[in-house]
Amino acid sequence: MSGNIRLREATAGRLERLIRSQDSHSRRKKTKTVLKMMFDAAVIDDALPANPVSSTSRLRGQKKDVQALSVEDLNAVRSAVDSWMTKKRPGPKPNQDMPDIIDLLLATGCRIGEVLAIRWTDIDLSATPPTVSISGTIKTETGKGTYRKPKPKSDASKRTIALPPFAVDVLMRRRIEQRPNHYNAVFATRNGTWHQVGNIERRWRTIRADTGFDWVTPHTFRKTVATLIDRLVDSDTAARVLGHSSDAITKEFYIEKDRTTPDVTHILQSFAGKATTTKSDA
């Protein structure tokens, strides 16, 4: 679609062709979002009776299989983190936040923003087993900066999670070694402020570079937790730990498909020919 057209000439068909002309799903999605915002403003200003973008077809990206980390993968990931921690670089030496954040992601199945929002008042190390209450998340907004929102993504996301021993060890060490901060945050910057989610994600991308784990994001640890719980317990338990209202989303987007099949050879043996059966019996 060329420029210099009137608003009334921006039909759904023209916009559809413009959106579809973009060279990737992410660019098509971004283009549609920007166009919708533009034409919403036009509708509000009475320049158009309706938003033509609403009549364009739904964008459907190619669904990717859920991929979780194996124990071997986790060992390799931790090695990559250790290498990054000990690498010589200008500036101050990195603190223990990154490996500890990863351990808490694996211990809880939380979203990265939820882990960064944990305060010491949310943790009960005297309980049996020790627990952490998830009651907020970290947000960064223009004009407001980075702050702790006192409510996670949904009502189901408010939950109390029992902590495995390795997470308790991490927290007890941090409790002793960490400098106090104004927010009583378990994970705080050197200045005592909340970590930005985007900064932690960028740091992780630096760590994973050239490791073969380009597909691993902080959300992958969440999927790994869901997959393990599903294998050893069930999907409903996985959904409750992750803070989903039902296991439908958990099963579709967070649990890696089990490609193995049960051993039914004793059943299938009934299909064997007579000669094979007789020989086997002999």
Side-chain angles (χ1 to χ4, degrees):
M1 183 174 73
S2 60
N4 300 321
I5 67 168
R6 295 180 175 85
L7 280 175
R8 65 174 180 271
E9 296 173 332
T11 62
R14 269 183 161 166
L15 296 175
E16 175 82 11
R17 290 189 291 275
L18 172 62
I19 294 167
R20 294 292 174 183
S21 69
Q22 306 305 305
D23 57 9
S24 68
H25 177 73
S26 61
R27 288 181 65 86
R28 287 190 287 273
K29 187 175 180 181
K30 187 177 294 186
T31 299
K32 184 171 183 177
T33 299
V34 172
L35 287 171
K36 186 177 186 306
M37 293 171 63
M38 290 169 52
F39 284 99
D40 275 344
V43 172
I44 291 172
D45 289 340
D46 295 325
L48 284 174
N51 191 330
V53 180
S54 300
S55 298
T56 60
S57 59
R58 182 180 176 184
L59 295 176
R60 298 181 184 274
Q62 184 177 1
K63 184 181 176 182
K64 296 181 180 179
D65 289 338
V66 175
Q67 192 170 1
L69 291 155
S70 65
V71 173
E72 292 76 14
D73 290 336
L74 285 173
N75 290 336
V77 164
R78 285 194 166 102
S79 294
V81 175
D82 290 341
S83 296
W84 178 81
M85 292 281 293
T86 56
K87 185 178 180 181
K88 290 185 178 180
R89 59 172 65 84
K93 184 179 179 181
N95 56 29
Q96 193 66 25
D97 280 2
M98 200 64 197
D100 289 352
I101 288 170
I102 290 174
D103 277 341
L104 262 293
L105 288 171
L106 290 168
T108 62
C110 284
R111 303 171 180 88
I112 180 67
E114 292 172 344
V115 166
L116 296 178
I118 296 173
R119 303 161 300 183
W120 287 110
T121 50
D122 299 321
I123 297 166
D124 187 354
L125 295 177
S126 64
T128 306
T131 62
V132 58
S133 294
I134 305 303
S135 59
T137 190
I138 296 298
K139 292 288 185 183
T140 300
E141 296 181 18
T142 303
K144 295 184 68 174
T146 299
Y147 64 97
R148 184 184 189 275
K149 181 181 176 182
K151 183 180 179 182
K153 188 173 182 179
S154 65
D155 288 339
S157 297
K158 282 191 173 184
R159 61 210 189 275
T160 298
I161 303 170
L163 293 167
F166 80 88
V168 175
D169 291 343
V170 167
L171 292 168
M172 290 182 69
R173 172 177 50 74
R174 292 189 66 86
R175 191 61 167 157
I176 295 170
E177 297 176 353
Q178 187 184 50
R179 293 168 54 188
N181 61 81
H182 174 72
Y183 299 104
N184 204 23
V186 173
F187 297 104
T189 66
R190 296 180 189 277
N191 297 326
T193 58
W194 297 107
H195 277 294
Q196 288 187 20
V197 172
N199 287 345
I200 296 298
E201 291 175 334
R202 278 192 292 274
R203 192 179 304 173
W204 169 245
R205 288 195 292 271
T206 300
I207 293 171
R208 76 184 187 190
D210 304 320
T211 63
F213 287 102
D214 290 348
W215 58 277
V216 179
T217 69
H219 223 57
T220 306
F221 299 115
R222 187 164 157 83
K223 295 173 183 178
T224 300
V225 171
T227 299
L228 179 63
I229 295 174
D230 173 66
R231 297 283 193 273
L232 300 182
V233 189
D234 55 41
S235 60
D236 181 63
T237 302
R240 291 172 62 189
V241 171
L242 266 61
H244 292 155
S245 57
S246 75
D247 67 351
I249 295 295
T250 317
K251 287 192 288 188
E252 184 172 0
F253 297 106
Y254 289 86
I255 296 174
E256 185 177 60
K257 297 294 184 292
D258 189 352
R259 304 298 181 184
T260 61
T261 59
D263 181 1
V264 292
T265 53
H266 60 291
I267 299 173
L268 299 178
Q269 183 60 21
S270 62
F271 294 145
K274 184 177 181 181
T276 304
T277 304
T278 302
K279 184 177 181 180
S280 175
D281 292 343

Short mmCIF file of all heavy atoms in Angstrom, two decimals, residues 76-102:
data_model
loop_
_atom_site.label_atom_id
_atom_site.label_comp_id
_atom_site.label_asym_id
_atom_site.label_seq_id
_atom_site.Cartn_x
_atom_site.Cartn_y
_atom_site.Cartn_z
N ALA A 76 24.81 -27.90 31.94
CA ALA A 76 25.51 -27.06 30.94
C ALA A 76 25.17 -25.59 31.13
O ALA A 76 26.04 -24.72 30.99
CB ALA A 76 25.15 -27.53 29.53
N VAL A 77 23.91 -25.31 31.45
CA VAL A 77 23.49 -23.92 31.69
C VAL A 77 24.24 -23.35 32.90
O VAL A 77 24.74 -22.22 32.87
CB VAL A 77 21.97 -23.84 31.91
CG1 VAL A 77 21.57 -22.51 32.53
CG2 VAL A 77 21.23 -24.05 30.60
N ARG A 78 24.32 -24.12 33.96
CA ARG A 78 25.01 -23.65 35.16
C ARG A 78 26.50 -23.44 34.89
O ARG A 78 27.12 -22.52 35.43
CB ARG A 78 24.80 -24.65 36.30
CG ARG A 78 23.40 -24.57 36.92
CD ARG A 78 23.32 -25.31 38.24
NE ARG A 78 22.12 -24.97 38.98
CZ ARG A 78 21.05 -25.73 39.05
NH1 ARG A 78 21.01 -26.88 38.39
NH2 ARG A 78 20.00 -25.35 39.76
N SER A 79 27.08 -24.28 34.04
CA SER A 79 28.48 -24.10 33.67
C SER A 79 28.67 -22.79 32.90
O SER A 79 29.66 -22.08 33.09
CB SER A 79 28.96 -25.28 32.81
OG SER A 79 28.98 -26.47 33.56
N ALA A 80 27.70 -22.48 32.02
CA ALA A 80 27.76 -21.23 31.26
C ALA A 80 27.67 -20.03 32.19
O ALA A 80 28.37 -19.03 32.01
CB ALA A 80 26.64 -21.18 30.23
N VAL A 81 26.83 -20.13 33.21
CA VAL A 81 26.70 -19.05 34.18
C VAL A 81 27.99 -18.89 34.97
O VAL A 81 28.48 -17.77 35.19
CB VAL A 81 25.52 -19.30 35.15
CG1 VAL A 81 25.47 -18.23 36.23
CG2 VAL A 81 24.20 -19.33 34.39
N ASP A 82 28.58 -20.01 35.39
CA ASP A 82 29.85 -19.96 36.14
C ASP A 82 30.96 -19.32 35.31
O ASP A 82 31.75 -18.52 35.81
CB ASP A 82 30.26 -21.37 36.57
CG ASP A 82 29.36 -21.95 37.64
OD1 ASP A 82 28.66 -21.15 38.31
OD2 ASP A 82 29.35 -23.18 37.82
N SER A 83 31.01 -19.67 34.01
CA SER A 83 32.03 -19.10 33.12
C SER A 83 31.85 -17.59 33.00
O SER A 83 32.82 -16.83 33.00
CB SER A 83 31.95 -19.75 31.74
OG SER A 83 32.25 -21.13 31.81
N TRP A 84 30.60 -17.15 32.89
CA TRP A 84 30.31 -15.72 32.79
C TRP A 84 30.68 -15.00 34.08
O TRP A 84 31.22 -13.89 34.06
CB TRP A 84 28.84 -15.51 32.47
CG TRP A 84 28.44 -14.07 32.38
CD1 TRP A 84 28.60 -13.23 31.33
CD2 TRP A 84 27.80 -13.30 33.42
NE1 TRP A 84 28.10 -11.98 31.63
CE2 TRP A 84 27.60 -12.01 32.90
CE3 TRP A 84 27.37 -13.60 34.70
CZ2 TRP A 84 27.00 -11.00 33.64
CZ3 TRP A 84 26.77 -12.60 35.45
CH2 TRP A 84 26.59 -11.32 34.92
N MET A 85 30.42 -15.65 35.22
CA MET A 85 30.70 -15.04 36.51
C MET A 85 32.19 -14.82 36.73
O MET A 85 32.61 -13.83 37.33
CB MET A 85 30.14 -15.92 37.63
CG MET A 85 28.63 -16.00 37.69
SD MET A 85 27.86 -14.57 38.46
CE MET A 85 28.43 -14.76 40.15
N THR A 86 33.00 -15.76 36.24
CA THR A 86 34.44 -15.70 36.50
C THR A 86 35.23 -15.04 35.37
O THR A 86 36.44 -14.90 35.47
CB THR A 86 34.99 -17.13 36.72
OG1 THR A 86 34.66 -17.95 35.58
CG2 THR A 86 34.38 -17.75 37.97
N LYS A 87 34.54 -14.67 34.30
CA LYS A 87 35.21 -14.04 33.16
C LYS A 87 35.75 -12.66 33.54
O LYS A 87 35.07 -11.87 34.20
CB LYS A 87 34.22 -13.90 32.00
CG LYS A 87 34.84 -13.36 30.72
CD LYS A 87 33.79 -13.31 29.61
CE LYS A 87 34.39 -12.78 28.31
NZ LYS A 87 33.37 -12.71 27.23
N LYS A 88 36.99 -12.40 33.14
CA LYS A 88 37.60 -11.10 33.43
C LYS A 88 36.97 -10.03 32.54
O LYS A 88 36.88 -10.19 31.33
CB LYS A 88 39.10 -11.16 33.21
CG LYS A 88 39.83 -12.01 34.23
CD LYS A 88 41.34 -11.93 34.02
CE LYS A 88 42.07 -12.75 35.09
NZ LYS A 88 43.55 -12.70 34.91
N ARG A 89 36.55 -8.95 33.17
CA ARG A 89 35.93 -7.85 32.45
C ARG A 89 36.15 -6.55 33.23
O ARG A 89 36.37 -6.60 34.46
CB ARG A 89 34.42 -8.10 32.27
CG ARG A 89 33.68 -8.26 33.58
CD ARG A 89 32.18 -8.32 33.38
NE ARG A 89 31.76 -9.50 32.65
CZ ARG A 89 31.55 -10.68 33.21
NH1 ARG A 89 31.77 -10.84 34.51
NH2 ARG A 89 31.15 -11.71 32.51
N PRO A 90 36.12 -5.41 32.55
CA PRO A 90 36.27 -4.14 33.27
C PRO A 90 35.06 -3.89 34.17
O PRO A 90 33.97 -4.41 33.94
CB PRO A 90 36.36 -3.11 32.15
CG PRO A 90 35.68 -3.75 30.97
CD PRO A 90 35.98 -5.21 31.08
N GLY A 91 35.27 -3.11 35.20
CA GLY A 91 34.17 -2.79 36.09
C GLY A 91 34.11 -3.72 37.29
O GLY A 91 34.93 -4.63 37.44
N PRO A 92 33.09 -3.52 38.13
CA PRO A 92 32.97 -4.35 39.34
C PRO A 92 32.64 -5.81 39.03
O PRO A 92 32.02 -6.11 38.00
CB PRO A 92 31.81 -3.68 40.10
CG PRO A 92 31.03 -2.96 39.05
CD PRO A 92 32.03 -2.51 38.03
N LYS A 93 33.08 -6.69 39.89
CA LYS A 93 32.81 -8.12 39.73
C LYS A 93 31.32 -8.38 39.92
O LYS A 93 30.69 -7.82 40.81
CB LYS A 93 33.62 -8.90 40.76
CG LYS A 93 33.50 -10.41 40.63
CD LYS A 93 34.36 -11.09 41.68
CE LYS A 93 34.22 -12.62 41.57
NZ LYS A 93 35.03 -13.31 42.60
N PRO A 94 30.72 -9.23 39.07
CA PRO A 94 29.28 -9.50 39.22
C PRO A 94 28.97 -10.17 40.54
O PRO A 94 29.76 -10.97 41.05
CB PRO A 94 28.97 -10.41 38.03
CG PRO A 94 30.27 -11.03 37.65
CD PRO A 94 31.30 -10.00 37.94
N ASN A 95 27.81 -9.83 41.11
CA ASN A 95 27.41 -10.48 42.36
C ASN A 95 26.76 -11.83 42.06
O ASN A 95 26.73 -12.29 40.93
CB ASN A 95 26.46 -9.57 43.16
CG ASN A 95 25.23 -9.18 42.34
OD1 ASN A 95 24.78 -9.90 41.46
ND2 ASN A 95 24.68 -8.00 42.64
N GLN A 96 26.21 -12.45 43.09
CA GLN A 96 25.66 -13.80 42.96
C GLN A 96 24.22 -13.81 42.49
O GLN A 96 23.59 -14.86 42.45
CB GLN A 96 25.78 -14.50 44.33
CG GLN A 96 25.56 -16.00 44.33
CD GLN A 96 26.61 -16.79 43.58
OE1 GLN A 96 27.73 -16.31 43.43
NE2 GLN A 96 26.26 -17.98 43.11
N ASP A 97 23.69 -12.65 42.08
CA ASP A 97 22.26 -12.57 41.75
C ASP A 97 21.85 -13.53 40.64
O ASP A 97 20.84 -14.23 40.76
CB ASP A 97 21.88 -11.14 41.36
CG ASP A 97 21.70 -10.25 42.58
OD1 ASP A 97 21.90 -10.75 43.70
OD2 ASP A 97 21.36 -9.06 42.42
N MET A 98 22.61 -13.56 39.52
CA MET A 98 22.15 -14.31 38.35
C MET A 98 22.01 -15.81 38.63
O MET A 98 20.95 -16.39 38.36
CB MET A 98 23.09 -14.06 37.16
CG MET A 98 22.44 -14.40 35.83
SD MET A 98 21.03 -13.32 35.50
CE MET A 98 20.20 -14.23 34.22
N PRO A 99 23.03 -16.49 39.16
CA PRO A 99 22.84 -17.92 39.45
C PRO A 99 21.76 -18.16 40.49
O PRO A 99 21.02 -19.16 40.42
CB PRO A 99 24.22 -18.38 39.94
CG PRO A 99 24.97 -17.15 40.24
CD PRO A 99 24.42 -16.08 39.38
N ASP A 100 21.61 -17.25 41.45
CA ASP A 100 20.58 -17.42 42.48
C ASP A 100 19.18 -17.21 41.91
O ASP A 100 18.22 -17.88 42.30
CB ASP A 100 20.82 -16.46 43.64
CG ASP A 100 22.05 -16.84 44.47
OD1 ASP A 100 22.61 -17.93 44.22
OD2 ASP A 100 22.44 -16.05 45.34
N ILE A 101 19.04 -16.26 40.99
CA ILE A 101 17.75 -16.05 40.32
C ILE A 101 17.35 -17.30 39.55
O ILE A 101 16.19 -17.74 39.61
CB ILE A 101 17.82 -14.83 39.39
CG1 ILE A 101 17.88 -13.54 40.21
CG2 ILE A 101 16.62 -14.78 38.44
CD1 ILE A 101 18.20 -12.29 39.40
N ILE A 102 18.30 -17.89 38.84
CA ILE A 102 18.01 -19.12 38.08
C ILE A 102 17.58 -20.24 39.02
O ILE A 102 16.63 -20.98 38.75
CB ILE A 102 19.23 -19.53 37.24
CG1 ILE A 102 19.44 -18.52 36.10
CG2 ILE A 102 19.06 -20.95 36.67
CD1 ILE A 102 20.70 -18.75 35.30
#
